[in-house]
Amino acid sequence: MGGLLLSEFTRQHADTLSAPQMTTFSPSTHTQHTPSDIISTVEFNHTGELLATGDKGGRVVIFQREQESKNQPHRRGEYNVYSTFQSHEPEFDYLKSLEIEEKINKIRWLPQQNAAYFLLSTNDKTVKLWKVSERDKRPEGYNLKDEDGRLRDPSMITMLRVPVLRPMDLMVEATPRRVFANAHTYHINSISVNSDYETYMSADDLRINLWNFEITNQSFNIVDIKPANMEELTEVITAAEFHPHHCNTFVYSSSKGTIRLCDMRASALCDRHSKFFEEPEDPSNRSFFSEIISSISDVKFSHSGRYIMTRDYLTVKVWDLNMENRPIETYQVHDYLRSKLCSLYENDCIFDKFECVWNGSDSVIMTGSYNNFFRMFDRNTKRDVTLEASRENSKPRAILKPRKVCVGGKRRKDEISVDSLDFSKKILHTAWHPSENIIAVAATNNLYIFQDKVN
Amino acid sequence: MLAKGVKRPRGEMEGGDPEPRDPSAAPASSLFNISMVKLHQSLRHVEPNLRHLVLVANTLRRMQDQMQREAGGPMAPDSPEAPSVGDDLLLSALDSSISTMLEDLGQVEVLSPARPEEEQPLAGASGARQELARTSAPCLGPLELLSSASYLLEDGLEDIFEDIDTSMYDCDLWSPTSLSGFKAFSGAEDSDSKALAGAEDRLDMSDLDYLMDVLVGGHAL
């Protein structure tokens, strides 16, 4: 992986045999911006063979990487649609007279243990376990029914035959195997599969529940920060994740910019943290918006389990689990927005929740920004780059050109000024292949897949 | 569920153009206005975005603290920060307002169909608590549903059953007068009609039994 750190990325090319197609993948066949097509989560599975997206309309679309072929070496395993299904439907809560959104907040894959694939998908209230499996054979030659499925008259059967399996066109089926409902009063923001592969957790604004995959009518409450009097509420849970190797350890972040690491062995209700990570406020940067911009929108363990990465409004921070009083690294995502916080507060952009991801070797981190920009930071060389996910600016198989935002003074030819940024084009969700330099970037209702340049 | 709105006299917050307190270059008063609007908009939802609500409320409290600190310190007569009498009332009302609004959110849970138990007996010497969030499917009978969801009662109860096909019950076949006709019809063709002799004008159990036999059994009409 070394040497490919900030290599040039190219956008995946679609099938060249047919007429030029859209080379961006969209869950919908329409190109219009229907609100239900907005992608709300993106996640590679553990091998990187599959890529799942969830959208505002409750649909899940899974892409599969095609086998690399010696005949077409330039097409290095591109991703094609593998399965599409409706995971969540809008529900109506009669007691509160409100509609529960079907938007998929998070998808998390389970490690593959047999031929089928399993994933968890969640909306605001309900988590579902889906099984995705292939069917490429079907039995033929039943005795008691004919080819159309009609029952045969038993008196007409004169001999017995053994049904045989015959190949059929590949069919991919998605079936809901478990529904974990009615355990969250508040909106679910995170789910995380435990390294024991038997349990997982779901976190809402005030509580975190631990589930066993086999049991749907019970969950254990492991974190509860709801105050006795709601008028004392000043902080909510914003994200949570299990440690990648230690099944008793997890972290959760808060709207006040803090991270708590908890050990489930210490007590059943993890109200007291084992570690508490918080950076002291910089007095020179104090403003009315200090708390809002410190609110952590995403927290991710490194693959090694030694670090955690947090995303707040303006920065990405890397923390060493052994050092609680400050992060070891801080990266500025779009510091030029610091002088615009008031407008961003007015239009609610300041509340946007950006996610962040590690690459497979934990050497590069990536996060999104506005104007369809996304940023990568190389932790070793300290180089960073801004790239853009848009059709106009990246032809298929063309190398992505680095972008630059001009902060004032003379604007160079290729630069874009802060005031020209489009704040409606936000990249909130990105994913990085677990072992290769392949990234998936969700730009509103379009999915871009970039791979590093083949030499 | 919503707390009473905080009413401000119209010209109260517009005393000149206060110097911005933060680099964002906007008057603190307009930020305050914006925040109050956001807070109210947030609470208009039955289930507000809690994170948004808490962050806005905390920001408002920060502004309030700032204003109160300004009020406490020495003030120039033309100081833009000097809160007027209206501001003081506003600020004191603000805190209780936010508290009330958040307190109302606590009611949200009461209405929720299922919720992890609030009180759990302490288990074990260590005092560890384990809470089981039991799911209880909202097994509401129709009457409970009607009483809790007022939108259903808007046009009267009758409308609820509008879509049910009642033609089966409107069938004249089952009226006493038509049954005798039915009896006569079946009597003409079935040898068992003799059993109904003497009971032609009454609808009684034997008639119903006979009808059931006709419908269910192998009798030809």
PDB file of all heavy atoms in Angstrom, chain A residues 331-355:
ATOM      1  N   TYR A 331      -6.599  17.955  11.703  1.00  0.00           N
ATOM      2  CA  TYR A 331      -6.551  18.348  10.294  1.00  0.00           C
ATOM      3  C   TYR A 331      -7.685  19.316  10.004  1.00  0.00           C
ATOM      4  O   TYR A 331      -8.832  19.063  10.367  1.00  0.00           O
ATOM      5  CB  TYR A 331      -6.686  17.103   9.399  1.00  0.00           C
ATOM      6  CG  TYR A 331      -5.589  16.088   9.639  1.00  0.00           C
ATOM      7  CD1 TYR A 331      -5.778  15.016  10.506  1.00  0.00           C
ATOM      8  CD2 TYR A 331      -4.345  16.217   9.000  1.00  0.00           C
ATOM      9  CE1 TYR A 331      -4.768  14.096  10.738  1.00  0.00           C
ATOM     10  CE2 TYR A 331      -3.334  15.296   9.230  1.00  0.00           C
ATOM     11  CZ  TYR A 331      -3.546  14.239  10.103  1.00  0.00           C
ATOM     12  OH  TYR A 331      -2.541  13.328  10.338  1.00  0.00           O
ATOM     13  N   GLN A 332      -7.352  20.409   9.349  1.00  0.00           N
ATOM     14  CA  GLN A 332      -8.361  21.410   8.998  1.00  0.00           C
ATOM     15  C   GLN A 332      -9.042  20.993   7.704  1.00  0.00           C
ATOM     16  O   GLN A 332      -8.394  20.847   6.679  1.00  0.00           O
ATOM     17  CB  GLN A 332      -7.707  22.789   8.809  1.00  0.00           C
ATOM     18  CG  GLN A 332      -6.943  23.293  10.028  1.00  0.00           C
ATOM     19  CD  GLN A 332      -7.856  23.550  11.219  1.00  0.00           C
ATOM     20  OE1 GLN A 332      -9.036  23.855  11.044  1.00  0.00           O
ATOM     21  NE2 GLN A 332      -7.306  23.416  12.425  1.00  0.00           N
ATOM     22  N   VAL A 333     -10.320  20.801   7.765  1.00  0.00           N
ATOM     23  CA  VAL A 333     -11.039  20.377   6.567  1.00  0.00           C
ATOM     24  C   VAL A 333     -11.367  21.572   5.686  1.00  0.00           C
ATOM     25  O   VAL A 333     -11.103  21.582   4.487  1.00  0.00           O
ATOM     26  CB  VAL A 333     -12.338  19.634   6.931  1.00  0.00           C
ATOM     27  CG1 VAL A 333     -13.064  19.182   5.674  1.00  0.00           C
ATOM     28  CG2 VAL A 333     -12.045  18.447   7.841  1.00  0.00           C
ATOM     29  N   HIS A 334     -11.981  22.581   6.286  1.00  0.00           N
ATOM     30  CA  HIS A 334     -12.356  23.785   5.522  1.00  0.00           C
ATOM     31  C   HIS A 334     -12.380  24.967   6.496  1.00  0.00           C
ATOM     32  O   HIS A 334     -13.450  25.518   6.788  1.00  0.00           O
ATOM     33  CB  HIS A 334     -13.698  23.613   4.807  1.00  0.00           C
ATOM     34  CG  HIS A 334     -14.729  22.815   5.575  1.00  0.00           C
ATOM     35  ND1 HIS A 334     -15.598  21.944   4.939  1.00  0.00           N
ATOM     36  CD2 HIS A 334     -15.024  22.745   6.895  1.00  0.00           C
ATOM     37  CE1 HIS A 334     -16.398  21.403   5.841  1.00  0.00           C
ATOM     38  NE2 HIS A 334     -16.072  21.856   7.034  1.00  0.00           N
ATOM     39  N   ASP A 335     -11.195  25.351   6.952  1.00  0.00           N
ATOM     40  CA  ASP A 335     -11.107  26.393   7.954  1.00  0.00           C
ATOM     41  C   ASP A 335     -11.615  27.741   7.443  1.00  0.00           C
ATOM     42  O   ASP A 335     -11.949  28.622   8.228  1.00  0.00           O
ATOM     43  CB  ASP A 335      -9.668  26.523   8.459  1.00  0.00           C
ATOM     44  CG  ASP A 335      -9.594  27.223   9.804  1.00  0.00           C
ATOM     45  OD1 ASP A 335     -10.247  26.733  10.752  1.00  0.00           O
ATOM     46  OD2 ASP A 335      -8.928  28.264   9.908  1.00  0.00           O
ATOM     47  N   TYR A 336     -11.662  27.885   6.109  1.00  0.00           N
ATOM     48  CA  TYR A 336     -12.150  29.143   5.540  1.00  0.00           C
ATOM     49  C   TYR A 336     -13.615  29.399   5.896  1.00  0.00           C
ATOM     50  O   TYR A 336     -14.133  30.491   5.702  1.00  0.00           O
ATOM     51  CB  TYR A 336     -11.970  29.158   4.013  1.00  0.00           C
ATOM     52  CG  TYR A 336     -12.401  27.881   3.319  1.00  0.00           C
ATOM     53  CD1 TYR A 336     -13.746  27.604   3.076  1.00  0.00           C
ATOM     54  CD2 TYR A 336     -11.460  26.943   2.904  1.00  0.00           C
ATOM     55  CE1 TYR A 336     -14.134  26.427   2.458  1.00  0.00           C
ATOM     56  CE2 TYR A 336     -11.839  25.760   2.286  1.00  0.00           C
ATOM     57  CZ  TYR A 336     -13.177  25.506   2.065  1.00  0.00           C
ATOM     58  OH  TYR A 336     -13.547  24.346   1.434  1.00  0.00           O
ATOM     59  N   LEU A 337     -14.282  28.382   6.433  1.00  0.00           N
ATOM     60  CA  LEU A 337     -15.668  28.577   6.825  1.00  0.00           C
ATOM     61  C   LEU A 337     -15.799  29.230   8.195  1.00  0.00           C
ATOM     62  O   LEU A 337     -16.885  29.623   8.608  1.00  0.00           O
ATOM     63  CB  LEU A 337     -16.417  27.237   6.843  1.00  0.00           C
ATOM     64  CG  LEU A 337     -16.564  26.514   5.505  1.00  0.00           C
ATOM     65  CD1 LEU A 337     -17.361  25.237   5.689  1.00  0.00           C
ATOM     66  CD2 LEU A 337     -17.228  27.407   4.469  1.00  0.00           C
ATOM     67  N   ARG A 338     -14.670  29.350   8.898  1.00  0.00           N
ATOM     68  CA  ARG A 338     -14.734  29.880  10.265  1.00  0.00           C
ATOM     69  C   ARG A 338     -15.307  31.290  10.300  1.00  0.00           C
ATOM     70  O   ARG A 338     -15.978  31.688  11.253  1.00  0.00           O
ATOM     71  CB  ARG A 338     -13.339  29.848  10.905  1.00  0.00           C
ATOM     72  CG  ARG A 338     -13.354  29.888  12.410  1.00  0.00           C
ATOM     73  CD  ARG A 338     -11.941  29.776  12.978  1.00  0.00           C
ATOM     74  NE  ARG A 338     -11.430  28.414  12.904  1.00  0.00           N
ATOM     75  CZ  ARG A 338     -11.629  27.487  13.838  1.00  0.00           C
ATOM     76  NH1 ARG A 338     -12.337  27.780  14.901  1.00  0.00           N
ATOM     77  NH2 ARG A 338     -11.129  26.286  13.695  1.00  0.00           N
ATOM     78  N   SER A 339     -15.020  32.061   9.236  1.00  0.00           N
ATOM     79  CA  SER A 339     -15.549  33.424   9.220  1.00  0.00           C
ATOM     80  C   SER A 339     -16.981  33.484   8.697  1.00  0.00           C
ATOM     81  O   SER A 339     -17.581  34.554   8.646  1.00  0.00           O
ATOM     82  CB  SER A 339     -14.651  34.306   8.347  1.00  0.00           C
ATOM     83  OG  SER A 339     -14.580  33.735   7.051  1.00  0.00           O
ATOM     84  N   LYS A 340     -17.510  32.345   8.318  1.00  0.00           N
ATOM     85  CA  LYS A 340     -18.868  32.311   7.760  1.00  0.00           C
ATOM     86  C   LYS A 340     -19.862  31.629   8.692  1.00  0.00           C
ATOM     87  O   LYS A 340     -20.969  31.285   8.285  1.00  0.00           O
ATOM     88  CB  LYS A 340     -18.864  31.523   6.435  1.00  0.00           C
ATOM     89  CG  LYS A 340     -17.846  31.959   5.437  1.00  0.00           C
ATOM     90  CD  LYS A 340     -18.352  33.091   4.617  1.00  0.00           C
ATOM     91  CE  LYS A 340     -17.289  33.621   3.686  1.00  0.00           C
ATOM     92  NZ  LYS A 340     -17.566  34.972   3.247  1.00  0.00           N
ATOM     93  N   LEU A 341     -19.439  31.373   9.912  1.00  0.00           N
ATOM     94  CA  LEU A 341     -20.261  30.548  10.797  1.00  0.00           C
ATOM     95  C   LEU A 341     -21.654  31.115  11.016  1.00  0.00           C
ATOM     96  O   LEU A 341     -22.627  30.374  11.163  1.00  0.00           O
ATOM     97  CB  LEU A 341     -19.558  30.353  12.141  1.00  0.00           C
ATOM     98  CG  LEU A 341     -18.297  29.483  12.093  1.00  0.00           C
ATOM     99  CD1 LEU A 341     -17.680  29.382  13.476  1.00  0.00           C
ATOM    100  CD2 LEU A 341     -18.603  28.095  11.548  1.00  0.00           C
ATOM    101  N   CYS A 342     -21.755  32.422  11.021  1.00  0.00           N
ATOM    102  CA  CYS A 342     -23.065  33.013  11.267  1.00  0.00           C
ATOM    103  C   CYS A 342     -24.053  32.652  10.161  1.00  0.00           C
ATOM    104  O   CYS A 342     -25.173  32.220  10.442  1.00  0.00           O
ATOM    105  CB  CYS A 342     -22.930  34.524  11.391  1.00  0.00           C
ATOM    106  SG  CYS A 342     -24.363  35.253  12.139  1.00  0.00           S
ATOM    107  N   SER A 343     -23.622  32.824   8.909  1.00  0.00           N
ATOM    108  CA  SER A 343     -24.518  32.456   7.802  1.00  0.00           C
ATOM    109  C   SER A 343     -24.807  30.967   7.800  1.00  0.00           C
ATOM    110  O   SER A 343     -25.917  30.538   7.500  1.00  0.00           O
ATOM    111  CB  SER A 343     -23.917  32.814   6.439  1.00  0.00           C
ATOM    112  OG  SER A 343     -23.038  33.869   6.551  1.00  0.00           O
ATOM    113  N   LEU A 344     -23.784  30.187   8.137  1.00  0.00           N
ATOM    114  CA  LEU A 344     -23.973  28.741   8.144  1.00  0.00           C
ATOM    115  C   LEU A 344     -24.901  28.311   9.282  1.00  0.00           C
ATOM    116  O   LEU A 344     -25.542  27.263   9.191  1.00  0.00           O
ATOM    117  CB  LEU A 344     -22.609  28.047   8.263  1.00  0.00           C
ATOM    118  CG  LEU A 344     -21.707  28.261   7.048  1.00  0.00           C
ATOM    119  CD1 LEU A 344     -20.274  27.865   7.350  1.00  0.00           C
ATOM    120  CD2 LEU A 344     -22.212  27.478   5.845  1.00  0.00           C
ATOM    121  N   TYR A 345     -24.943  29.131  10.309  1.00  0.00           N
ATOM    122  CA  TYR A 345     -25.890  28.867  11.396  1.00  0.00           C
ATOM    123  C   TYR A 345     -27.304  29.210  10.944  1.00  0.00           C
ATOM    124  O   TYR A 345     -28.255  28.482  11.189  1.00  0.00           O
ATOM    125  CB  TYR A 345     -25.497  29.687  12.625  1.00  0.00           C
ATOM    126  CG  TYR A 345     -26.423  29.556  13.814  1.00  0.00           C
ATOM    127  CD1 TYR A 345     -26.509  28.358  14.509  1.00  0.00           C
ATOM    128  CD2 TYR A 345     -27.182  30.634  14.255  1.00  0.00           C
ATOM    129  CE1 TYR A 345     -27.342  28.240  15.624  1.00  0.00           C
ATOM    130  CE2 TYR A 345     -28.016  30.524  15.355  1.00  0.00           C
ATOM    131  CZ  TYR A 345     -28.090  29.337  16.039  1.00  0.00           C
ATOM    132  OH  TYR A 345     -28.918  29.214  17.131  1.00  0.00           O
ATOM    133  N   GLU A 346     -27.403  30.329  10.242  1.00  0.00           N
ATOM    134  CA  GLU A 346     -28.714  30.760   9.755  1.00  0.00           C
ATOM    135  C   GLU A 346     -29.341  29.733   8.822  1.00  0.00           C
ATOM    136  O   GLU A 346     -30.518  29.420   8.915  1.00  0.00           O
ATOM    137  CB  GLU A 346     -28.584  32.089   8.998  1.00  0.00           C
ATOM    138  CG  GLU A 346     -28.637  33.307   9.877  1.00  0.00           C
ATOM    139  CD  GLU A 346     -28.634  34.571   9.037  1.00  0.00           C
ATOM    140  OE1 GLU A 346     -29.673  34.884   8.445  1.00  0.00           O
ATOM    141  OE2 GLU A 346     -27.572  35.225   8.994  1.00  0.00           O
ATOM    142  N   ASN A 347     -28.531  29.197   7.895  1.00  0.00           N
ATOM    143  CA  ASN A 347     -29.102  28.242   6.937  1.00  0.00           C
ATOM    144  C   ASN A 347     -28.984  26.797   7.403  1.00  0.00           C
ATOM    145  O   ASN A 347     -29.224  25.878   6.632  1.00  0.00           O
ATOM    146  CB  ASN A 347     -28.481  28.418   5.545  1.00  0.00           C
ATOM    147  CG  ASN A 347     -26.990  28.141   5.525  1.00  0.00           C
ATOM    148  OD1 ASN A 347     -26.451  27.489   6.411  1.00  0.00           O
ATOM    149  ND2 ASN A 347     -26.310  28.610   4.487  1.00  0.00           N
ATOM    150  N   ASP A 348     -28.613  26.620   8.658  1.00  0.00           N
ATOM    151  CA  ASP A 348     -28.552  25.292   9.289  1.00  0.00           C
ATOM    152  C   ASP A 348     -27.434  24.395   8.785  1.00  0.00           C
ATOM    153  O   ASP A 348     -27.312  23.245   9.213  1.00  0.00           O
ATOM    154  CB  ASP A 348     -29.884  24.529   9.143  1.00  0.00           C
ATOM    155  CG  ASP A 348     -30.845  24.826  10.292  1.00  0.00           C
ATOM    156  OD1 ASP A 348     -30.385  25.414  11.303  1.00  0.00           O
ATOM    157  OD2 ASP A 348     -32.023  24.475  10.185  1.00  0.00           O
ATOM    158  N   CYS A 349     -26.595  24.898   7.882  1.00  0.00           N
ATOM    159  CA  CYS A 349     -25.492  24.067   7.405  1.00  0.00           C
ATOM    160  C   CYS A 349     -24.525  23.704   8.520  1.00  0.00           C
ATOM    161  O   CYS A 349     -23.846  22.679   8.473  1.00  0.00           O
ATOM    162  CB  CYS A 349     -24.721  24.779   6.286  1.00  0.00           C
ATOM    163  SG  CYS A 349     -25.557  24.675   4.702  1.00  0.00           S
ATOM    164  N   ILE A 350     -24.474  24.544   9.528  1.00  0.00           N
ATOM    165  CA  ILE A 350     -23.555  24.307  10.633  1.00  0.00           C
ATOM    166  C   ILE A 350     -23.918  23.035  11.389  1.00  0.00           C
ATOM    167  O   ILE A 350     -23.107  22.497  12.149  1.00  0.00           O
ATOM    168  CB  ILE A 350     -23.543  25.522  11.597  1.00  0.00           C
ATOM    169  CG1 ILE A 350     -22.214  25.621  12.331  1.00  0.00           C
ATOM    170  CG2 ILE A 350     -24.720  25.472  12.577  1.00  0.00           C
ATOM    171  CD1 ILE A 350     -22.097  26.867  13.206  1.00  0.00           C
ATOM    172  N   PHE A 351     -25.108  22.523  11.163  1.00  0.00           N
ATOM    173  CA  PHE A 351     -25.531  21.282  11.813  1.00  0.00           C
ATOM    174  C   PHE A 351     -25.313  20.056  10.937  1.00  0.00           C
ATOM    175  O   PHE A 351     -25.653  18.946  11.337  1.00  0.00           O
ATOM    176  CB  PHE A 351     -27.023  21.369  12.202  1.00  0.00           C
ATOM    177  CG  PHE A 351     -27.322  22.477  13.171  1.00  0.00           C
ATOM    178  CD1 PHE A 351     -27.891  23.665  12.734  1.00  0.00           C
ATOM    179  CD2 PHE A 351     -27.028  22.344  14.517  1.00  0.00           C
ATOM    180  CE1 PHE A 351     -28.156  24.703  13.616  1.00  0.00           C
ATOM    181  CE2 PHE A 351     -27.291  23.373  15.410  1.00  0.00           C
ATOM    182  CZ  PHE A 351     -27.852  24.551  14.959  1.00  0.00           C
ATOM    183  N   ASP A 352     -24.744  20.245   9.749  1.00  0.00           N
ATOM    184  CA  ASP A 352     -24.497  19.099   8.862  1.00  0.00           C
ATOM    185  C   ASP A 352     -23.575  18.093   9.533  1.00  0.00           C
ATOM    186  O   ASP A 352     -22.594  18.463  10.175  1.00  0.00           O
ATOM    187  CB  ASP A 352     -23.857  19.577   7.543  1.00  0.00           C
ATOM    188  CG  ASP A 352     -24.876  20.262   6.653  1.00  0.00           C
ATOM    189  OD1 ASP A 352     -26.080  19.990   6.803  1.00  0.00           O
ATOM    190  OD2 ASP A 352     -24.452  21.072   5.790  1.00  0.00           O
ATOM    191  N   LYS A 353     -23.890  16.809   9.345  1.00  0.00           N
ATOM    192  CA  LYS A 353     -23.092  15.772  10.000  1.00  0.00           C
ATOM    193  C   LYS A 353     -22.224  15.054   8.977  1.00  0.00           C
ATOM    194  O   LYS A 353     -22.698  14.194   8.219  1.00  0.00           O
ATOM    195  CB  LYS A 353     -24.019  14.774  10.703  1.00  0.00           C
ATOM    196  CG  LYS A 353     -24.768  15.410  11.867  1.00  0.00           C
ATOM    197  CD  LYS A 353     -25.415  14.386  12.774  1.00  0.00           C
ATOM    198  CE  LYS A 353     -26.530  13.658  12.062  1.00  0.00           C
ATOM    199  NZ  LYS A 353     -27.144  12.631  12.923  1.00  0.00           N
ATOM    200  N   PHE A 354     -20.972  15.442   8.955  1.00  0.00           N
ATOM    201  CA  PHE A 354     -20.020  14.807   8.033  1.00  0.00           C
ATOM    202  C   PHE A 354     -19.440  13.551   8.670  1.00  0.00           C
ATOM    203  O   PHE A 354     -19.179  13.511   9.867  1.00  0.00           O
ATOM    204  CB  PHE A 354     -18.877  15.782   7.704  1.00  0.00           C
ATOM    205  CG  PHE A 354     -19.316  16.967   6.901  1.00  0.00           C
ATOM    206  CD1 PHE A 354     -19.651  18.162   7.529  1.00  0.00           C
ATOM    207  CD2 PHE A 354     -19.380  16.908   5.515  1.00  0.00           C
ATOM    208  CE1 PHE A 354     -20.059  19.270   6.791  1.00  0.00           C
ATOM    209  CE2 PHE A 354     -19.779  18.018   4.774  1.00  0.00           C
ATOM    210  CZ  PHE A 354     -20.117  19.192   5.405  1.00  0.00           C
ATOM    211  N   GLU A 355     -19.223  12.543   7.837  1.00  0.00           N
ATOM    212  CA  GLU A 355     -18.576  11.330   8.326  1.00  0.00           C
ATOM    213  C   GLU A 355     -17.101  11.357   7.927  1.00  0.00           C
ATOM    214  O   GLU A 355     -16.672  12.192   7.132  1.00  0.00           O
ATOM    215  CB  GLU A 355     -19.269  10.095   7.746  1.00  0.00           C
ATOM    216  CG  GLU A 355     -20.682   9.914   8.293  1.00  0.00           C
ATOM    217  CD  GLU A 355     -21.457   8.857   7.530  1.00  0.00           C
ATOM    218  OE1 GLU A 355     -20.856   8.132   6.720  1.00  0.00           O
ATOM    219  OE2 GLU A 355     -22.687   8.773   7.753  1.00  0.00           O
TER     220      GLU A 355
END
